[in-house]
Amino acid sequence: MSSSVITESVIAPACKKEDLLLDSTLRPRQLKEYIGQQKIKESLEIIMEAAKNRGESLEHMLFHGPAGLGKTTLAHILSYEMQANIKVTSGPILERTGDLASLLTNLNDGDILFIDEIHRLNRTVEEALYPAMEDFRLDIVVGKGPSAQVLELNLPRFTLIGATTRIGLLTNPLRSRFGGLFRLNLYSPAEIQTIVNRSAKILNLTIEPNGACAIAGCSRRNPRIANRLLKRVRDFAQVKGDGIINEKMAKKAFSMLEIDNSGLEKIDRDILKVIVEKFGGGPIGVQTLAAAIGEEEDTLVDVYEPYLMELGLIARTPRGRVVTANGYQHLGLKHIAKKI
Ligand code: ADP
């Protein structure tokens, strides 16, 4: 095993392909296998039952919340439960109205179109979606200049499922066209433990309850991170132990990965340190902060910030991010309150 494999970030790993494979292997197929998010599941059950009774397709739905909480999984579950086909795409991939048209015209009644990162759709494609969502109609401009014509295409009664980590970036016209908006919340440690045990069973691993508990404790209450940690601890237990996943193995693996007891990685601690050391504890604008830590703004906002805020280590103020008293304490530093 190379050391780069073991020290690579668990929260935002570079290897997307391996991640996708792990996600799809461990993805629950039915609603009853989907752990937690009780309120959402209850609503979806009612929506599906009602649509089935009326013999109609599902209404358009939007799932929002941090990455890895199960938005894509829910879209696949809906397609499975409704016995509908699902086509998967994402906001940045749909560059032209023609891309959208070719997807939509190949759907059948009741099919699902899943658009991940829907907040990244460009304006033209987004505007073409409005009549598609509302009236199942697509207006396509054919030709250029004075001879250009608008072609009206009738579409099947499809269901659009959108997913976004940044609900605030969605325009009002788009948001208002969804029949159901669902916010996914971070999971409880007990729910994550159940997810870890389920994943261990699928991957045929031996895991002790204290091992599942240790992994859950460092998972940032996020199923995708929990599954990744499980895989790292499995590798570690295979190489350094007898293959059994327990608390001792988990702790050793986490110390090698530089993950602390709160589940924070080195990069999280670096974010806190940079705000404190370079910007006097803040407030600091998100763009400047992203540049200072050498990360994309989106990664900072979508991946790192939600959990740092959840733990109360940083806070958002109108003038930017600040490290809180708890954040200073986490770094072992004394907090001197200042007026902002
Ligand atoms: P998102 O689309 O929100 O980024 P995904 O739906 O891709 O997240 O989920 C990431 C991984 O976490 C999937 O492999 C899935 O197995 C697991 N997962 C997410 N939510 C749950 C859940 N409620 N129960 C079990 N596993 C889950």
Side-chain angles (χ1 to χ4, degrees):
M1 192 187 313
S2 75
S3 65
S4 66
V5 171
I6 204 90
T7 53
E8 183 197 305
S9 168
V10 177
I11 313 168
C15 184
K16 291 274 187 211
K17 213 168 158 193
E18 185 191 342
D19 208 34
L20 287 177
L21 190 67
L22 185 71
D23 271 3
S24 61
T25 315
L26 300 178
R27 192 160 274 152
R29 290 182 72 195
Q30 300 174 41
L31 206 53
K32 64 174 193 244
E33 292 174 53
Y34 190 88
I35 292 146
Q37 311 290 355
Q38 209 51 43
K39 286 233 157 68
I40 296 182
K41 282 196 292 191
E42 281 166 18
S43 302
L44 292 180
E45 256 162 12
I46 292 172
I47 290 171
M48 286 195 291
E49 188 70 34
K52 278 182 195 164
N53 286 345
R54 290 194 305 264
E56 286 176 3
S57 53
L58 290 173
E59 58 190 321
H60 306 305
M61 284 181 239
L62 181 72
F63 297 123
H64 63 105
L69 291 199
K71 300 180 291 297
T72 310
T73 304
L74 278 177
H76 282 274
I77 287 176
L78 288 174
S79 102
Y80 179 87
E81 300 274 0
M82 294 300 289
Q83 296 179 343
N85 294 314
I86 181 166
K87 284 236 167 78
V88 176
T89 185
S90 82
I93 292 179
L94 293 174
E95 284 180 357
R96 287 178 302 266
T97 317
D99 302 331
L100 180 68
S102 73
L103 270 175
L104 290 175
T105 48
N106 279 304
L107 296 175
N108 293 311
D109 281 344
D111 282 359
I112 291 173
L113 175 66
F114 175 63
I115 307 185
D116 200 9
E117 298 190 75
I118 197 162
H119 61 275
R120 293 179 64 191
L121 276 180
N122 72 46
R123 199 64 200 207
T124 329
V125 176
E126 177 177 326
E127 281 172 6
L129 257 184
Y130 301 159
M133 291 172 79
E134 222 161 51
D135 306 320
F136 303 99
R137 194 193 82 223
L138 198 62
D139 299 331
I140 302 233
V141 182
V142 188
K144 276 190 180 150
S147 61
Q149 283 186 331
V150 178
L151 216 95
E152 216 182 274
L153 286 179
N154 285 325
L155 298 171
R157 300 189 78 81
F158 71 102
T159 299
L160 177 70
I161 299 185
T164 178
T165 49
R166 310 275 289 275
I167 183 89
L169 295 186
L170 242 66
T171 61
N172 272 334
L174 181 58
R175 198 169 37 205
S176 65
R177 281 175 169 83
F178 287 99
L181 264 73
F182 300 96
R183 183 198 146 88
L184 281 83
N185 292 312
L186 296 181
Y187 291 71
S188 73
E191 286 163 351
I192 294 282
Q193 227 171 301
T194 312
I195 292 174
V196 169
N197 282 320
R198 175 183 174 274
S199 302
K201 203 167 158 199
I202 295 171
L203 297 171
N204 231 342
L205 308 175
T206 310
I207 184 164
E208 291 178 2
N210 60 20
C213 183
I215 292 173
C218 284
S219 68
R220 305 166 81 101
R221 298 170 56 194
N222 179 311
R224 180 179 289 137
I225 296 175
N227 285 337
R228 283 189 198 139
L229 286 176
L230 172 68
K231 224 176 102 215
R232 295 296 171 86
V233 180
R234 171 198 66 182
D235 292 347
F236 193 87
Q238 266 169 14
V239 175
K240 302 277 185 192
D242 52 8
I244 295 172
I245 296 166
N246 53 31
E247 187 182 6
K248 196 172 138 207
M249 280 300 142
K251 289 216 157 135
K252 282 189 175 174
F254 295 157
S255 120
M256 197 162 181
L257 291 162
E258 298 184 70
I259 295 173
D260 66 24
N261 290 338
S262 316
L264 298 189
E265 280 197 3
K266 184 171 174 300
I267 175 85
D268 299 301
R269 293 186 292 274
D270 286 348
I271 292 171
L272 296 176
K273 271 190 211 152
V274 163
I275 303 179
V276 169
E277 289 169 5
K278 285 199 178 162
F279 304 102
I284 171 71
V286 70
Q287 278 175 338
T288 315
L289 180 58
I293 58 162
E295 283 285 353
E296 298 269 327
E297 191 186 325
D298 278 355
T299 315
L300 174 65
V301 174
D302 295 345
V303 181
Y304 300 114
E305 268 194 358
Y307 193 60
L308 288 170
M309 283 190 195
E310 176 71 21
L311 291 183
L313 303 181
I314 60 172
R316 237 182 232 160
T317 72
R319 289 172 52 209
R321 277 57 174 166
V322 291
V323 172
T324 62
N326 282 345
Y328 275 83
Q329 205 180 1
H330 196 90
L331 294 173
L333 299 172
K334 205 166 170 259
H335 178 242
I336 301 155
K338 58 177 180 178
K339 280 196 180 134
I340 1 177

